[in-house]
Amino acid sequence: MKTNPGRFFEDYRLGETIRHATPRTVTTGDVALYTALYGPRFAVQSSDAFAQAVGYPRSPLDDLLTFHVVFGKTVPDISLNAVANLGYAEGGFRRPVYPGETLSTVSEVIGLKESSNRQTGVVYVRSVGSDAAGQTVLSYCRWVLVRKRDPQAAIAEEHVPSLAKVVDPHDLAASLPKLDVSAYDLDLAGSPHRFGDYRTGERIDHVDGMTVEEAEHQIATRLFQNTAKVHFDNHAAKDTRFGKRLIYGGHVISLARALSFNGLANAFALAGINAGRHVAPLFSGDTVYAWSEVLDTADVGRGDVGLLRLRTVATKNQPCGAYPDRQGDGYDPAVILDLDYWAFMPK
């Protein structure tokens, strides 16, 4: 065969390393399209002048644009035949990425677990995104539910990895250049609130909502060169339990992050992903809302910035004034995303 049908669950082996195809040079064009799709307004990523004033050489990419490009490289080898992407852990953004940089990704299979129905299995991978010089820009673990080609196929070895519940914030502290926060203009940034203004347990309703359009989510997913069939092939999707295409889970993450500007405008850079779960699917025509909780604060020995541990919950078709959340062993039916992460904020 000349074509690639994608891997099925029984094709993976514990410990194997997968070098993913198609390195990607990111440009200001990618940045402009990402901004058009999601509308993020964080000042450091929006203005070269603002970024240079505080100590960057120029505006870096939005961290989630970096994440999506690195993630997209893995899809043909990891999740082309996925039923759903399930979760994330141990994520670390190791250095800013600037337009003109070339990104590539390598993944290691760190876990395999067959489903009880023998129709699918969960594949756990650790993916590392690197720049052209081979320096790590991002690493993370994720697990994805993948179809089996043959339900009767035997699985050679199974293992569920033990993953840290929280990334040590001190391990993330050096990922930004030293910044001159005296030049951080709060008026231009859009919020008067700095690191010391947030308290553990505080909840923030981000108020605004964004409706997902069919064309938007497909353009976004193609922008990241994510080829997962569940996002594109409506003819095949009609035979699934949902009967239609799913919105890429990363699309929800970027929408929630953009919405979080209203209340967290100075949480300008992501540092790490502690945990993430796609609770329920999202479809075209649904409207996304979000709220966040401050889980912790970390002073990591830098005089310029501290880290907030944030939990952002996204919903569909339900505003978040009542903070819809977990309910017993499950969630409020409106919840679609539960993301726990560290973000930098100026002192």
Side-chain angles (χ1 to χ4, degrees):
M1 291 181 63
K2 298 294 191 299
T3 56
N4 174 23
R7 289 185 172 207
F8 292 85
F9 180 71
E10 61 266 39
D11 298 328
Y12 295 92
R13 297 293 179 268
L14 279 173
E16 72 172 303
T17 297
I18 304 170
R19 189 179 180 209
H20 303 292
T22 319
R24 173 74 181 278
T25 301
V26 287
T27 70
T28 53
D30 295 307
V31 173
L33 184 50
Y34 184 88
T35 302
L37 290 165
Y38 300 110
R41 291 179 285 158
F42 298 97
V44 167
Q45 290 79 15
S46 297
S47 165
D48 280 346
F50 191 102
Q52 289 166 348
V54 299
Y56 288 87
R58 62 185 298 193
S59 287
L61 266 62
D62 188 292
D63 298 300
L64 287 176
L65 175 53
T66 299
F67 173 83
H68 293 313
V69 171
V70 169
F71 182 103
K73 302 295 95 190
T74 72
V75 170
D77 299 307
I78 304 299
S79 47
L80 193 64
N81 293 309
V83 176
N85 194 44
L86 300 178
Y88 313 91
E90 295 187 0
F93 295 86
R94 298 301 176 182
R95 63 183 63 247
V97 177
Y98 300 94
E101 188 55 80
T102 299
L103 303 178
S104 59
T105 311
V106 174
S107 297
E108 178 188 2
V109 179
I110 60 173
L112 296 168
K113 179 64 177 176
E114 186 177 23
S115 304
S116 58
N117 63 12
R118 302 199 67 185
Q119 302 291 319
T120 58
V122 179
V123 179
Y124 298 79
V125 297
R126 185 184 305 278
S127 298
V128 177
S130 302
D131 61 21
Q135 300 177 107
T136 297
V137 300
L138 168 66
S139 62
Y140 65 92
C141 297
R142 72 158 169 146
W143 46 105
V144 57
L145 187 65
V146 178
R147 295 180 179 86
K148 290 182 71 177
R149 179 188 295 106
D150 176 8
Q152 304 308 313
I155 305 304
E157 185 178 5
E158 292 186 290
H159 172 69
V160 176
S162 177
L163 300 172
K165 292 184 178 179
V166 180
V167 180
D168 183 348
H170 293 84
D171 184 49
L172 304 169
S175 62
L176 295 186
K178 182 169 177 54
L179 303 178
D180 177 7
V181 291
S182 68
Y184 191 98
D185 189 319
L186 295 174
D187 291 333
L188 294 180
S191 170
H193 304 300
R194 295 179 181 264
F195 175 71
D197 297 323
Y198 291 84
R199 298 289 181 267
T200 300
E202 181 178 359
R203 288 183 164 190
I204 303 164
D205 173 15
H206 299 304
V207 181
D208 307 307
M210 288 194 198
T211 300
V212 177
E213 304 295 347
E214 195 75 85
E216 280 180 351
H217 90 85
Q218 290 192 87
I219 290 170
T221 310
R222 285 194 291 264
L223 175 65
F224 313 131
Q225 296 177 319
N226 179 336
T227 56
K229 299 173 184 177
V230 293
H231 307 315
F232 294 108
D233 191 338
N234 205 46
H235 178 73
K238 70 181 182 354
D239 296 322
T240 67
R241 67 189 179 106
F242 299 115
K244 53 186 173 181
R245 288 170 290 197
L246 304 182
I247 303 299
Y248 164 48
H251 197 70
V252 180
I253 295 174
S254 281
L255 288 173
R257 168 71 173 156
L259 291 169
S260 77
F261 179 89
N262 192 352
L264 290 167
N266 292 323
F268 65 91
L270 299 183
I273 298 173
N274 299 307
R277 180 180 177 189
H278 294 292
V279 177
L282 181 73
F283 302 102
S284 173
D286 290 334
T287 300
V288 176
Y289 297 88
W291 64 272
S292 294
E293 179 182 6
V294 180
L295 297 179
D296 199 0
T297 63
D299 190 327
V300 291
R302 294 184 56 147
D304 52 351
V305 294
L307 280 90
L308 296 183
R309 183 182 172 194
L310 300 167
R311 175 179 173 241
T312 295
V313 175
T315 64
K316 62 180 178 182
N317 306 324
Q318 181 173 317
C320 291
Y323 305 106
D325 202 352
R326 298 185 182 97
Q327 292 183 348
D329 295 332
Y331 284 83
D332 183 293
V335 173
I336 55 176
L337 173 72
D338 190 344
L339 187 67
D340 176 343
Y341 57 101
W342 290 104
F344 285 104
M345 182 168 278
K347 291 182 174 179

